[in-house]
Amino acid sequence: MKALLCKALGGPEDLVIEEVPDPVPGPGEALVRVTVAALNFFDTLIIAGRYQVKPELPFSPGAEACGVIEALGPGVEAFRVGERVIVHLGYGACRERVVAPVSGLTRVPEGVSDEQAAGLSVTYGTSLHALQDRAKLQPGETLAVLGATGGVGLAAVELGHAMGARVIACASSAEKLDLAKAHGADLTLDYSQEPLRGGLKRLGGEAGIDVVYDPVGGAYSEPALRSLNWKGRFLVVGFAAGEIPKIPLNLALLKGIDIQGVFWGAFLRREPEGHAANQARLLALVSEGRLSAKVHGVYPLEEAAAALGILARREAMGKVLLRP
């Protein structure tokens, strides 16, 4: 089978496509033919050796995919050959076939496309865990989303809207903010044109801001945290800007703010039942038309470097997918 491989740590241009043996499912595993694999920003870090997950070389990037079960290993009774499933692997999805423990599979219902399902686990899973399980976002609260049109950001906008919050989408261009509006943002802030702190204070109004969702980091984190209400919640999701900010902790003390880490990968491992419930909720929301699972583009495996470049430059507006 054909596989996209990282054989030496580096950039997207260093990846290669090679033929590798078809995998064979063992006990409790399924062989899945990948129809669409999804890329995430952290894939650009994994292949460079700059992420907390450091696979042995060679490996395939891609944490998630949608596909069809082709074979089952001994002892598997919960799934059957021919079923469409979401596969979550952590890495290794950018190839024609993968083997995964059945505990890492989720059935895809009718009405949800392969493209929607492929990119649902990480971005929407992260954002639902952040907003529902960590911040406990309530209807009527105000949510500010930084990087609002990246993978997790757009997911947070859509989910915040679906959960009944007033959503302020923050991004770096009018084009991006138009996309956020189309996916449920009530208000928008272009932080290339207006300072983030002043803009959030203006848009927050008397109600203020209850929750900040921050996948960007860098210079944006502190002004966003300063905009929070008394007992606001600041969600630390990632550092797409590259710099890990140093937050003055007196701000948390003076406002009674909760600074909450959102490590979805650890949640997946430590709380599998909670993850399964969240996956079911996400698929139901997509099936009901309440989440779009927006796709930026679908690229052949041969264009993986270009696809990863879109993520590295923070140009993605929705999910970036590969078709093996």
Side-chain angles (χ1 to χ4, degrees):
M1 68 173 183
K2 189 166 57 175
L4 179 70
L5 295 176
C6 175
K7 301 183 76 173
L9 298 178
E13 67 281 357
D14 298 312
L15 298 173
V16 297
I17 297 173
E18 291 186 1
E19 292 287 329
V20 299
D22 284 348
V24 177
E29 294 181 332
L31 174 67
V32 178
R33 175 176 54 81
V34 174
T35 54
V36 192
L39 297 173
N40 293 278
F41 177 77
F42 60 73
D43 284 306
T44 68
L45 304 178
I46 289 175
I47 63 174
R50 295 190 293 113
Y51 195 60
Q52 55 259 40
V53 177
K54 300 187 186 320
E56 289 187 16
L57 298 171
F59 68 92
S60 294
E64 56 188 337
C66 181
V68 178
I69 295 176
E70 285 194 334
L72 296 168
V76 176
E77 297 179 354
F79 290 87
R80 67 179 188 274
V81 171
E83 285 188 299
R84 281 196 310 146
V85 291
I86 294 171
V87 186
H88 178 73
L89 296 169
Y91 62 89
C94 293
R95 49 181 59 198
E96 290 183 317
R97 289 176 179 82
V98 298
V99 160
V102 293
S103 60
L105 305 182
T106 305
R107 286 183 183 84
V108 181
E110 292 296 326
V112 178
S113 71
D114 290 357
E115 290 76 15
Q116 288 174 311
L120 203 61
S121 284
V122 175
T123 52
Y124 285 86
T126 296
S127 295
L128 182 60
H129 172 53
L131 299 177
Q132 171 187 273
D133 304 327
R134 301 295 284 136
K136 294 178 170 50
L137 182 69
Q138 299 299 309
E141 288 192 314
T142 297
L143 165 69
V145 180
L146 308 188
T149 57
V152 291
L154 195 61
V157 169
E158 283 200 272
L159 283 165
H161 175 75
M163 295 168 73
R166 183 175 71 125
V167 181
I168 302 173
C170 308
S172 59
S173 73
E175 180 188 10
K176 290 181 177 181
L177 292 173
D178 286 343
L179 178 66
K181 270 187 182 177
H183 287 78
D186 299 285
L187 300 165
T188 60
L189 172 59
D190 183 344
Y191 44 60
S192 72
Q193 301 297 317
E194 179 180 8
L196 183 61
R197 174 74 177 97
L200 288 176
K201 184 176 181 180
R202 174 177 61 81
L203 294 174
E206 290 187 11
I209 292 170
D210 301 292
V211 178
V212 166
Y213 182 99
D214 181 13
V216 179
Y220 297 104
S221 296
E222 185 176 328
L225 184 141
R226 287 180 180 273
S227 74
L228 281 167
N229 287 337
W230 170 248
K231 291 190 176 179
R233 289 90 80 201
F234 185 88
L235 295 165
V236 182
V237 183
F239 311 103
E243 180 185 346
I244 298 175
K246 295 176 174 60
I247 299 293
L249 289 180
N250 64 308
L251 298 176
L253 184 152
L254 294 171
K255 290 191 171 188
I257 288 168
D258 288 337
I259 299 175
Q260 301 178 331
V262 180
F263 188 2
W264 178 79
F267 166 70
L268 172 72
R269 294 190 301 273
R270 293 172 179 267
E271 303 178 45
E273 292 181 359
H275 164 66
N278 284 0
Q279 287 283 93
R281 184 178 182 190
L282 290 171
L283 285 163
L285 288 169
V286 176
S287 185
E288 293 163 9
R290 298 175 62 194
L291 292 182
S292 71
K294 165 74 175 173
V295 173
H296 177 92
V298 183
Y299 303 86
L301 211 57
E302 290 75 14
E303 295 181 18
L308 285 162
I310 292 167
L311 291 167
R313 296 188 298 273
R314 296 171 56 197
E315 295 172 355
M317 293 191 285
K319 290 298 298 189
V320 176
L321 307 177
L322 292 179
R323 196 181 304 281

